[in-house]
Amino acid sequence: MSLSIGQIEAHYARLPEGFFAALPPTPVAAPRLIAFNDSLARELGLSIDGVSPEELARLFSGNEIPRGATPVAVAYAGHQFGSFVPQLGDGRAILLGEVRDRSGQLRDIAFKGSGRTPYSRGGDGRAALGPVLREYIVSEAMHALGVPTTRALAAVLTGERVLREQGPLPGAVFTRVASSHLRVGTFQFFAAREDQDSLRALLTFAIERHDPSAKESDNPALAFLNGVIERQAHLIARWMALGFVHGVMNTDNMTISGETIDYGPCAFMEAYDPATVFSSIDQFGRYAYGRQAAIAQWNLARLAEALLPLIDTDEEQAVKQASDAISGFAHLYHKAYDEAFRTKLGLKKREDEDHDLVASLLLRMQQKQADFTLTFRAFLSAVDPQSDQTLRQYLGDDDVTDALITRWRERLLREGVSQTDIETRIKAANPKRIPRNHRVEEAIQAAQVSDDFEPFHRLARALQCPYDDDPEYETYEAPAAPHERVRVTFCGT
Ligand code: AMP
Ligand code: MG
């Protein structure tokens, strides 16, 4: 008899043929539970009380299909590093179905690393433990940092080895929760086939899920496009405000929902530098920290192209409307970016000069190779004019820093709120802890080499409350020492 973990529905799996391939996950040899996200399970309304770790391991390895699930591998296309690949799809992922969470929203539950599918091409359909732990840590940290993101529900060891460049590695299955798995590449898949019926069905599905108000619009496709543009503008601004580098912003790794998805070679920048790149395969810095907004806009233009026939039957008209929408991204993004950085400096009112103040600060940080996270957090201690030594440690103790701090203090005065209020604002906007690469690597190594998951669990706990002062987690605050520094990250799929 199969286990029930709640009401799993089949929405995506009821779309027409061609949207997916129906197949179950491939069972694994010896599932063992690494982590299960109880609070997310509760948020989703899953009934897991009394379910043993062994049963959870069977369920979240794909060895036992929960009642009601209709497993499918989803089709999509995508531009990878600028080149269009007409067929990608879930090569190692399976969508189990959707559940309605406590607030009534539909959420996808999907496996990653659950075996080969018709979209696997040359791949083995499996995931190595390292990337599974990385996605678990970083996606949950992003959530705690207030960034829209897919979530981590479970990680399970398979008891099987997967062969990667480094040799045989422990295999794992990751369970991801998303407000949907629709990507820019999902639209491109049908647009490339000039399959307008499917494109229309996909648009209807996406609007129902993410932009129900677009149904009332004169032009639902355009209203939907504008919705995606707005969500992505806000998302990228949040990434920038935290120093997050996604690393593989291919159009198949960009959601319609505005959630961050597909944590591969992602990493957080330490010393501020817009040219920061970590991914081993991003040789030309296409996806560098400072290029993320431009790339997002490029990706959104690909979405707009896919939607053209649904925006207007007159191609010229459609192109004009879509281009105007895409141009709007820059404005929305700059507004969100300025607001995010103003907030980091404790400012709520908008003044024209603020952008320049932030730019001057960032330039100084770049010259001094100042740690992005800790420099902003140091503004907390500098609200009191008597105590700006910490900030000066990062920015340098000279006239340039004097001028910057003076300018900022004058600006604080014009906010007209108390010192305590400013401190509360700065603390709430600037995390003390981010998933630093060397700490993530350390947790992965302990698990991979010594089967020791304690560093992983401890790091994950430390990142659940990234804005709080907590002496217990002090070790996670400092940037990497030169010998610890991780300069290159790998997809390592
Ligand atoms: P990613 O780089 O993880 O976004 O994946 C890009 C494409 O490669 C997607 O279609 C994946 O499903 C596919 N893929 C990645 N790793 C594997 C694997 N181990 N086996 C099969 N397909 C894979
Ligand atoms: Mg992907």
Side-chain angles (χ1 to χ4, degrees):
M1 198 196 88
S2 68
L3 262 168
S4 166
I5 51 167
Q7 195 65 44
I8 301 192
E9 303 175 13
H11 290 263
Y12 194 88
R14 275 198 252 118
L15 281 165
E17 213 178 300
F19 277 72
F20 55 81
L23 82 163
T26 310
V28 307
R32 193 180 110 205
L33 191 67
I34 302 167
F36 186 73
N37 192 338
D38 283 301
S39 75
L40 177 59
R42 275 194 297 277
E43 188 182 316
L44 297 174
L46 299 186
S47 18
I48 39 100
D49 284 345
V51 179
S52 69
E54 292 73 27
E55 282 168 322
L56 287 175
R58 282 206 302 280
L59 278 167
F60 294 101
S61 59
N63 277 18
E64 184 162 327
I65 309 296
R67 208 176 301 152
T70 313
V72 296
V74 172
Y76 53 83
H79 274 89
Q80 299 192 308
F81 289 91
S83 309
F84 186 62
V85 184
Q87 178 158 315
L88 289 165
D90 287 340
R92 54 168 174 156
I94 291 282
L95 174 65
L96 269 188
E98 297 90 351
V99 293
R100 220 168 263 288
D101 70 14
R102 287 262 152 91
S103 66
Q105 296 296 312
L106 280 179
R107 310 272 289 270
D108 282 7
I109 300 189
F111 294 141
K112 202 164 170 178
S114 48
R116 287 181 54 79
T117 77
Y119 309 112
S120 296
R121 297 173 291 162
D124 62 1
R126 292 300 186 190
L129 175 62
V132 165
L133 296 183
R134 176 179 286 108
E135 177 153 359
Y136 200 109
I137 292 168
V138 183
S139 63
E140 285 305 295
M142 291 285 269
H143 174 69
L145 289 163
V147 186
T149 177
T150 60
R151 303 287 307 276
L153 181 61
V156 176
L157 274 168
T158 59
E160 294 169 12
R161 298 256 146 191
V162 293
L163 201 58
R164 294 294 179 265
E165 270 171 33
Q166 309 94 304
L169 296 170
V173 175
F174 178 74
T175 305
R176 175 160 76 190
V177 173
S179 69
S180 89
H181 280 79
L182 302 180
R183 305 147 192 266
V184 169
T186 322
F187 285 85
Q188 290 182 290
F189 181 86
F190 297 108
R193 285 158 183 76
E194 296 181 23
D195 178 354
Q196 288 206 25
D197 289 344
S198 297
L199 203 53
R200 203 173 294 279
L202 178 61
L203 178 68
T204 304
F205 183 86
I207 285 180
E208 194 62 47
R209 194 87 175 249
H210 300 295
D211 291 279
S213 65
K215 279 187 284 191
E216 320 309 331
S217 159
D218 308 339
N219 191 332
L222 189 63
F224 166 73
L225 175 63
N226 278 316
V228 182
I229 290 172
E230 190 166 345
R231 288 190 287 275
Q232 284 294 338
H234 281 97
L235 177 67
I236 309 296
R238 291 292 297 141
W239 289 0
M240 298 302 283
L242 290 164
F244 177 75
V245 186
H246 181 283
V248 230
M249 291 177 70
N250 294 334
T251 57
D252 52 305
N253 292 338
M254 187 184 243
T255 58
I256 293 310
S257 66
E259 289 178 343
T260 312
I261 198 168
D262 277 0
Y263 293 86
C266 63
F268 282 76
M269 173 174 70
E270 295 204 307
Y272 176 76
D273 181 357
T276 303
V277 174
F278 294 99
S279 171
S280 64
I281 53 170
D282 193 2
Q283 286 166 3
F284 303 107
R286 178 180 170 91
Y287 301 138
Y289 169 78
R291 286 187 47 88
Q292 298 186 113
I295 285 294
Q297 190 175 28
W298 190 90
N299 289 349
L300 290 163
R302 306 289 78 78
L303 174 65
E305 275 165 13
L307 290 170
L308 282 179
L310 307 183
I311 291 174
D312 205 307
T313 43
D314 177 329
E315 199 181 331
E316 208 173 304
Q317 267 303 314
V319 169
K320 173 157 185 354
Q321 298 190 70
S323 308
D324 289 349
I326 294 299
S327 307
F329 173 85
H331 171 71
L332 289 168
Y333 169 71
H334 287 125
K335 200 160 155 258
Y337 176 96
D338 284 345
E339 191 182 326
F341 278 82
R342 256 199 326 270
T343 308
K344 286 176 81 67
L345 292 177
L347 309 171
K348 265 192 192 150
K349 292 182 181 159
R350 212 193 71 81
E351 288 192 13
D352 286 344
E353 276 178 51
D354 293 342
H355 183 83
D356 185 60
L357 173 62
V358 170
S360 308
L361 169 64
L362 292 176
L363 180 63
R364 184 63 172 174
M365 285 168 65
Q366 186 174 357
Q367 287 159 349
K368 293 285 164 187
Q369 302 187 337
D371 183 80
F372 182 77
T373 305
L374 296 185
T375 306
F376 274 104
R377 184 78 178 194
F379 275 88
L380 183 58
S381 55
V383 178
D384 175 353
Q386 310 304 323
S387 68
D388 55 18
Q389 298 84 343
T390 322
L391 185 56
R392 283 172 187 277
Q393 268 173 30
Y394 295 110
L395 296 180
D397 196 7
D398 60 12
D399 292 355
V400 178
T401 298
D402 286 348
L404 262 173
I405 296 183
T406 304
R407 207 170 148 193
W408 173 62
R409 289 237 173 83
E410 284 168 5
R411 187 59 188 79
L412 288 185
L413 287 178
R414 293 200 294 277
E415 282 289 299
V417 296
S418 72
Q419 201 168 303
T420 321
D421 283 349
I422 298 280
E423 282 166 1
T424 309
R425 288 180 187 177
I426 295 179
K427 192 173 167 183
N430 298 290
K432 197 154 198 195
R433 290 176 296 278
I434 47 155
R436 293 194 183 263
N437 285 327
H438 64 299
R439 294 298 180 197
V440 175
E441 248 351 280
E442 179 183 77
I444 290 173
Q445 284 305 316
Q448 214 167 257
V449 179
S450 319
D451 196 39
D452 174 8
F453 288 88
E454 197 36 46
F456 159 76
H457 288 298
R458 204 170 119 79
L459 178 57
R461 274 197 306 276
L463 293 168
Q464 268 169 27
C465 45
Y467 298 97
D468 296 352
D469 291 307
D470 192 334
E472 195 193 334
Y473 298 131
E474 218 168 295
T475 44
Y476 298 120
E477 290 164 19
H483 70 279
E484 296 172 317
R485 206 163 287 155
V486 177
R487 287 198 175 75
V488 183
T489 52
F490 300 90
C491 280
T493 53

